[in-house]
Amino acid sequence: FFLMITRRMATQAGRITYSIVHNKAAQRFETEWEGHTAVLEYNMGEKTIVFTHTGVPPVMEGKGVGSSLCAAGIEYAKENKLDIQPQCWFVDRYMQKKNISRSPSSL
């Protein structure tokens, strides 16, 4: 099962479109651009998703890719009524900035 989310990313040459894929087998959300892959990795519990790592290659940094990955992961948690445990500092900061609760009843 793959969940596809299309996002736009700004580059020096303008705007490009990229897709975020939910790769359940690898337990991660991912996107590729020009041979580079950015990921949001997680571990799944019974009623909890633990976001463990966000990895964005330098060429993709500063373009909203990490935030888009976080948004996709949080949307998945919301749709599946999962508690969120951000062990990754980037996800934790994103949730604080967007005032997002860790409990699905508040999402």
Side-chain angles (χ1 to χ4, degrees):
F1 173 82
F2 290 97
L3 169 71
M4 298 287 289
I5 301 167
T6 301
R7 303 279 184 191
R8 294 189 83 52
M9 180 170 70
T11 67
Q12 290 180 350
R15 297 183 91 56
I16 64 165
T17 300
Y18 63 98
S19 297
I20 295 175
V21 176
H22 183 191
N23 184 340
K24 281 190 170 183
Q27 292 195 5
R28 68 187 202 175
F29 293 86
E30 56 192 34
T31 188
E32 291 187 14
W33 181 66
E34 293 189 354
H36 302 279
T37 303
V39 299
L40 170 59
E41 297 173 344
Y42 66 86
N43 293 319
M44 186 65 71
E46 186 176 323
K47 295 182 181 182
T48 304
I49 188 166
V50 181
F51 293 115
T52 59
H53 174 71
T54 305
V56 178
V59 70
M60 297 171 80
E61 288 179 352
K63 297 175 175 66
V65 175
S67 294
S68 293
L69 289 165
C70 288
I74 291 166
E75 182 63 26
Y76 176 78
K78 178 180 175 182
E79 290 171 357
N80 291 279
K81 299 180 178 21
L82 300 170
D83 285 333
I84 300 169
Q85 290 184 4
Q87 290 182 349
C88 169
W89 69 267
F90 188 86
V91 177
D92 188 49
R93 186 178 68 178
Y94 178 87
M95 290 178 68
Q96 289 177 21
K97 184 177 177 182
K98 300 288 185 179
N99 198 28
I100 296 171
S101 172
R102 295 177 182 211
S103 172
S105 61
S106 302
L107 293 175

